[in-house]
Amino acid sequence: MSLIKDKINSENLPKHVAIIMDGNGRWAKTRGEERTFGHKNAINAVRNAINACNEIDIPYLTLYTFSSENWSRPADEVSTLMNLLVETLLLEAEEIFSKGLRMHVIGNLEKLPLLVREQLERVVELTKENTKGNLVLAISYGSQNEILDAVKNISSDVKEGKVDVENIDEKLFESYLYTKDFPPVDLLIRTSGEIRVSNFLLWQIAYAELQFLNVLWPDFTKDIFFQCIVDYQNKERRYGLTGDQIKAQ
């Protein structure tokens, strides 16, 4: 039983946690291995994050699996990542299903190899009736592209008379994002010690709490996740108000 988990207030949980899983290459390098070795050893960390969310009933977890910029990495590394994604989906699909999780995918999926798309579609279909929680994989994803897509689609609908310019507000804009069916991010976690958000969910993290950990992703454990939740709960979320205003609510 985790002592850290016992400190979590079940009445004050984030609805949506997003994670930038960073540090696989450096983890491998410290062991004298190629970067791909780090990616292969990151699967346990993914399981830890999913299981931790499941244990304390956090309804949405989004994992930054492969960014739109990652396509520019060396071809052999990209190929390894794509193959690893397929292998992981094959191995983990039944586990995801049995936990009652529904899987979603966001990003420019047209760029993915056919086999990867097929496996993603298979797991999405397999889990579509599940209601215990939501696992969102951001694959071939870039937030700037997402926002540009939203602007283009809104512009098209304005031209066709489906949208009145005067009615464009935050709520309408969000309905054009890939994440239109998900709540905003409450907590963003990034591993590896880097302090940046790397084009990830830029609109959705507007009021998120940000935690940057000096932990390389393959070393990420459930207790580290639980500590992030405890730290989140120790912060006062003000949304632009003063502390006194929040207390008076």
Side-chain angles (χ1 to χ4, degrees):
M1 190 68 178
S2 169
L3 295 177
I4 300 173
K5 182 180 173 183
D6 291 342
K7 298 178 182 178
I8 294 174
N9 175 6
S10 62
E11 301 299 317
N12 182 29
L13 291 169
K15 291 181 180 178
H16 190 170
V17 176
I19 304 180
I20 300 175
M21 307 178 291
D22 193 19
N24 294 343
R26 275 165 283 175
W27 186 89
K29 188 175 181 181
T30 62
R31 288 157 176 78
E33 301 284 352
E34 296 294 325
R35 291 175 54 84
T36 52
F37 180 76
H39 298 312
K40 292 174 181 176
N41 281 273
I43 296 173
N44 279 337
V46 172
R47 290 193 191 108
N48 288 336
I50 294 171
N51 290 338
C53 268
N54 200 47
E55 285 181 23
I56 59 176
D57 295 323
I58 290 175
Y60 288 87
L61 172 67
T62 298
L63 301 177
Y64 205 3
T65 308
F66 190 86
S67 77
S68 54
E69 290 77 21
N70 286 157
W71 290 113
S72 299
R73 289 189 174 186
D76 60 339
E77 183 175 350
V78 171
S79 177
T80 296
L81 285 167
M82 291 296 110
N83 291 333
L84 185 60
L85 180 56
V86 171
E87 292 172 14
T88 302
L89 288 167
L90 286 170
L91 290 171
E92 303 295 326
E94 189 60 37
E95 181 72 10
I96 293 169
F97 176 80
S98 66
K99 290 182 184 300
L101 302 177
R102 181 178 179 181
M103 197 178 85
H104 311 261
V105 186
I106 59 173
N108 182 2
L109 306 186
E110 294 302 315
K111 294 190 69 172
L112 295 171
L114 179 60
L115 182 58
V116 176
R117 292 205 308 272
E118 289 177 343
Q119 288 302 323
L120 288 169
E121 290 167 2
R122 183 180 74 87
V123 182
V124 168
E125 179 65 21
L126 174 70
T127 63
K128 68 179 182 180
E129 302 298 332
N130 287 356
T131 58
K132 180 68 168 59
N134 296 272
L135 172 62
V136 185
L137 302 184
I139 302 175
S140 189
Y141 172 85
S143 187
Q144 291 176 331
N145 289 338
E146 177 187 24
I147 291 169
L148 285 173
D149 283 347
V151 171
K152 290 174 184 177
N153 289 330
I154 291 172
S155 299
S156 177
D157 284 350
V158 168
K159 284 182 179 179
E160 294 179 14
K162 297 177 182 178
V163 172
D164 189 326
V165 171
E166 299 303 319
N167 292 332
I168 299 175
D169 57 12
E170 290 90 342
K171 186 175 181 180
L172 184 138
F173 187 82
E174 286 171 356
S175 73
Y176 282 81
L177 295 175
Y178 305 157
T179 55
K180 61 182 181 295
D181 297 321
F182 314 145
V185 176
D186 296 305
L187 171 62
L188 173 70
I189 300 168
R190 181 178 185 138
T191 57
S192 86
E194 301 292 350
I195 304 176
R196 56 178 178 266
V197 295
S198 296
N199 197 19
F200 185 46
L201 299 174
L202 300 178
W203 178 279
Q204 297 86 345
I205 64 171
Y207 280 99
E209 299 297 328
L210 311 181
Q211 295 192 24
F212 300 98
L213 309 180
N214 287 312
V215 175
L216 300 178
W217 178 245
D219 293 325
F220 189 84
T221 65
K222 287 199 295 183
D223 272 352
I224 292 173
F225 183 90
F226 292 146
Q227 185 60 57
C228 288
I229 300 302
V230 171
D231 293 343
Y232 165 88
Q233 293 182 336
N234 286 331
K235 294 179 180 179
E236 183 179 65
R237 306 189 72 203
R238 295 196 293 270
Y239 299 97
L241 302 178
T242 66
D244 289 340
Q245 285 176 305
I246 295 294
K247 291 172 185 176
Q249 289 180 347

